[in-house]
Amino acid sequence: MLTIAKKDKYSILLIILVLFGIYHPSLISDYLYTDDYLYFFPKINDVRYENYLTSDISKIWSYSINIGRPFLHYFILIGNKTITKISDANILRAFALAGLAAYSVLTYVWIRKNNQSTLYPLSVVILVVSTPSSVLSISWITMNLGIYSILLATISIFLVEKWINTKNWFVLVTALIILTLALNGYAVYGMMYWFFVLIKISMLR
């Protein structure tokens, strides 16, 4: 385990400040992307909108399966009930930003554990969280699922490392379940698991 030194605490604080600076505008503006509106308005089972995707639950499930994102079904159900006005979308964005912050800290810790430098993991994390795809994953509500997938994939790699060190099979099974959840949320983001594996391999002496 990495002991969090004072300079690491400062780095993590800087990461949080960067996240706040980048994403604060996204949390104080009222807006929805086209897909968001079609997912969350009109409401499920509202007979006035029978030709929309959200007109019934079975359509949402079939759609989610067809695009390879089964958990999108449940995410749409949550958003459909939670978002009653456009400004409510910022609640879901806030949760997604918390997930991105957790992912950022874990990424810093992982790279720091496998590299003696402080600047390198800090630079990587800030670069990743400031990319257009990351910004879009917070702003675009239906892309929030990618944030949770990437976080779950990150947690799974820590558990796999723990299993390697302890040979506790319960830890390994838990890691595999979490990774499966990540892949069923947004598979592309869930593949971040292998990014962490490559980091580990590249730092082997």
Side-chain angles (χ1 to χ4, degrees):
M1 293 294 293
L2 173 68
T3 300
I4 305 297
K6 181 177 291 188
K7 58 183 178 181
D8 292 315
K9 293 179 181 179
Y10 289 144
S11 296
I12 291 173
L13 177 60
L14 179 59
I15 291 170
I16 299 300
L17 291 175
V18 168
L19 284 170
F20 178 81
I22 294 174
Y23 294 100
H24 179 254
S26 298
L27 301 182
I28 61 174
S29 304
D30 298 338
Y31 62 97
L32 284 174
Y33 285 90
T34 303
D35 285 2
D36 292 337
Y37 186 86
L38 293 177
Y39 284 138
F40 306 129
F41 299 99
K43 298 303 179 182
I44 294 172
N45 296 327
D46 190 328
V47 295
R48 295 175 299 172
Y49 305 102
E50 60 182 357
N51 294 323
Y52 284 78
L53 170 66
T54 48
S55 61
D56 64 73
I57 294 177
S58 62
K59 286 184 180 180
I60 300 173
W61 176 252
S62 298
Y63 173 76
S64 301
I65 293 297
N66 289 339
I67 65 174
R69 294 158 58 188
F71 289 162
L72 178 63
H73 166 79
Y74 303 104
F75 193 74
I76 292 175
L77 295 184
I78 293 171
N80 197 274
K81 297 296 183 181
T82 303
I83 301 176
T84 59
K85 55 184 181 299
I86 292 180
S87 59
D88 292 339
N90 288 330
I91 298 173
L92 297 183
R93 291 189 182 101
F95 279 105
L97 182 57
L100 183 62
Y103 159 76
S104 301
V105 171
L106 290 175
T107 301
Y108 175 85
V109 170
W110 181 261
I111 299 177
R112 184 79 168 91
K113 285 172 62 176
N114 294 283
N115 188 293
Q116 296 302 314
S117 168
T118 302
L119 181 60
Y120 177 68
L122 179 62
S123 301
V124 169
V125 171
I126 291 178
L127 178 64
V128 169
V129 301
S130 59
T131 58
S133 60
S134 294
V135 175
L136 189 61
S137 294
I138 295 295
S139 302
W140 195 344
I141 299 299
T142 50
M143 291 288 289
N144 288 174
L145 200 57
I147 298 296
Y148 301 121
S149 289
I150 204 171
L151 176 60
L152 290 173
T154 304
I155 293 172
S156 69
I157 193 65
F158 277 87
L159 291 175
V160 168
E161 184 185 47
K162 182 176 181 180
W163 170 74
I164 292 173
N165 295 328
T166 64
K167 302 304 180 186
N168 185 327
W169 288 97
F170 176 77
V171 172
L172 178 61
V173 171
T174 302
L176 293 176
I177 291 174
I178 291 176
L179 183 58
T180 300
L181 293 176
L183 294 174
N184 279 276
Y186 211 121
V188 174
Y189 285 79
M191 294 304 289
M192 180 58 66
Y193 174 91
W194 298 107
F195 169 74
F196 287 92
V197 172
L198 290 175
I199 291 175
K200 187 73 172 181
I201 293 174
S202 66
M203 297 304 172
L204 291 177
R205 295 292 186 268

